[in-house]
Amino acid sequence: MPDNLPPAFVAYPRLPGHQLLSLQGVDAVAFAHAQFSSDVTALPLLHWQWSAWLSAKGRTLAVFQLLRLADDHVLLVLADGDADAIASQLQRFVFRRKVKLQVHADLAVAGAFTAPEAAAGAAIALVGSQGWELDLGSNALPRTLRIGPVEAFPASDEAEDAAFALAWRQADLRFGLPRLAESQREVWTPQQLGLDRLNGYSVKKGCYPGQEIVARTHFLGKAKRAVQLLHTAAPAQAGDGVQQDGGALGTLASVAGDLALAVLPLETGDSELQVGNAVAQRMPLLDGLAR
């Protein structure tokens, strides 16, 4: 069984695919609070939390980091991209609220497998005059995320970018953070994706899209499936089925190399799992990424 420790990389290469969407204006916090799964109004300034945007049926459209940078500025870090499409869809709900949505091509997201210099937990640290540092790891697997002007993070070799992006994505999965390909959007509830492990949704705040489904599942204890980390012995992709004893058991929701997050029944036998014709071995999830 590989230890899946990240290889050594130069400090702060860009994270390909990560995009930034800002909500600015006097109604930015109220708008985000009404649209997303987390309790945005309870989030202190210069802190961040995990959040999600759900469909009316309580299915997850996107999982992201939500940063409260000012009373009138909320920033979303979208690891799975699609910022333009999300901004366009959100715009339909703005109505008369005083909030402006903007996709930031002028900013870049970079990371490092090192402990942050100043950020800790959910607290955001300022880096220079135009950037922010976030703690995206734990003692078991330290990581730092930085956001700043594009020119602050020069592009590196394409092969190095790809290797770093894979290592980062695998680290996400080890923490139980789902990375959703387009085929897996609007498929899973937050409970099935394990967003409770990340404090990624609230069942106590006011209404938001999908809130009724989320709250009902929580309070009635009807969640029957949860996310499990697997090591796959052969290449796999999101949407592939997981079998046990010759029968269908669950589905891969996220894949990164030889690691995958599978949505499986809460109660399963101890016999071997397979993805396709290859063995898939259970691995423990890392704690420490809840914010």
Side-chain angles (χ1 to χ4, degrees):
M1 172 62 63
D3 58 18
N4 285 293
L5 292 175
F9 292 101
V10 296
Y12 299 107
R14 290 187 198 177
L15 285 163
H18 283 59
Q19 295 180 348
L20 299 163
L21 172 61
S22 69
L23 289 68
Q24 291 183 275
V26 294
D27 293 331
V29 170
F31 179 77
H33 187 78
Q35 289 296 321
F36 305 139
S37 63
S38 58
D39 191 340
V40 184
T41 58
L43 185 65
L45 291 179
L46 285 179
H47 282 68
W48 69 276
Q49 60 189 194
W50 295 107
S51 194
W53 194 32
L54 310 180
S55 71
K57 295 182 179 180
R59 298 301 189 267
T60 307
L61 298 167
V63 178
F64 46 84
Q65 294 163 263
L66 186 151
L67 287 59
R68 189 170 180 179
L69 299 178
D71 286 328
D72 61 353
H73 188 189
V74 171
L75 183 68
L76 310 184
V77 181
L78 299 158
D80 297 316
D82 216 22
D84 287 319
I86 291 172
S88 178
Q89 294 173 50
L90 281 171
Q91 186 64 46
R92 296 181 296 136
F93 303 101
V94 170
F95 302 120
R96 295 182 179 179
R97 289 189 184 271
K98 296 179 180 179
V99 57
K100 178 183 178 182
L101 308 179
Q102 181 182 359
V103 177
H104 281 281
D106 57 322
L107 298 175
V109 182
F113 286 100
T114 57
E117 293 181 10
I124 302 168
L126 297 175
V127 180
S129 59
Q130 303 180 67
W132 302 277
E133 178 184 80
L134 284 72
D135 178 3
L136 208 64
S138 68
N139 290 336
L141 181 53
R143 295 192 302 172
T144 300
L145 191 84
R146 286 195 173 179
I147 302 167
V150 170
E151 57 270 19
F153 308 111
S156 54
D157 177 81
E158 185 174 340
E160 291 179 359
D161 278 349
F164 182 76
L166 175 59
W168 194 268
R169 187 182 179 99
Q170 286 193 319
D172 284 342
L173 267 57
R174 292 186 68 198
F175 279 115
L177 172 63
R179 298 289 305 275
L180 297 180
E182 185 174 356
S183 67
Q184 299 305 301
R185 296 171 189 171
E186 206 169 348
V187 174
W188 308 107
T189 67
Q191 286 96 336
Q192 289 172 333
L193 291 177
L195 296 190
D196 52 312
R197 297 183 72 255
L198 304 174
N199 296 327
Y201 61 86
S202 171
V203 295
K204 297 181 180 179
K205 74 170 197 167
C207 187
Y208 56 90
Q211 181 267 345
E212 183 179 354
I213 306 299
V214 172
R216 184 188 307 150
T217 301
H218 174 82
F219 289 114
L220 297 181
K222 290 187 175 181
K224 297 180 179 179
R225 292 176 175 266
V227 75
Q228 169 71 62
L229 181 64
L230 302 179
H231 173 261
T232 58
Q237 60 183 1
D240 285 353
V242 180
Q243 298 82 38
Q244 186 178 49
D245 299 326
L249 185 68
T251 307
L252 301 186
S254 300
V255 174
D258 57 3
L259 295 182
L261 289 179
V263 179
L264 302 176
L266 291 174
E267 297 182 6
T268 62
D270 295 329
S271 56
E272 190 175 78
L273 303 180
Q274 300 87 30
V275 174
N277 296 318
V279 173
Q281 188 169 350
R282 298 175 180 87
M283 296 181 64
L285 288 166
L286 292 178
D287 291 323
L289 205 57
R291 295 290 182 265

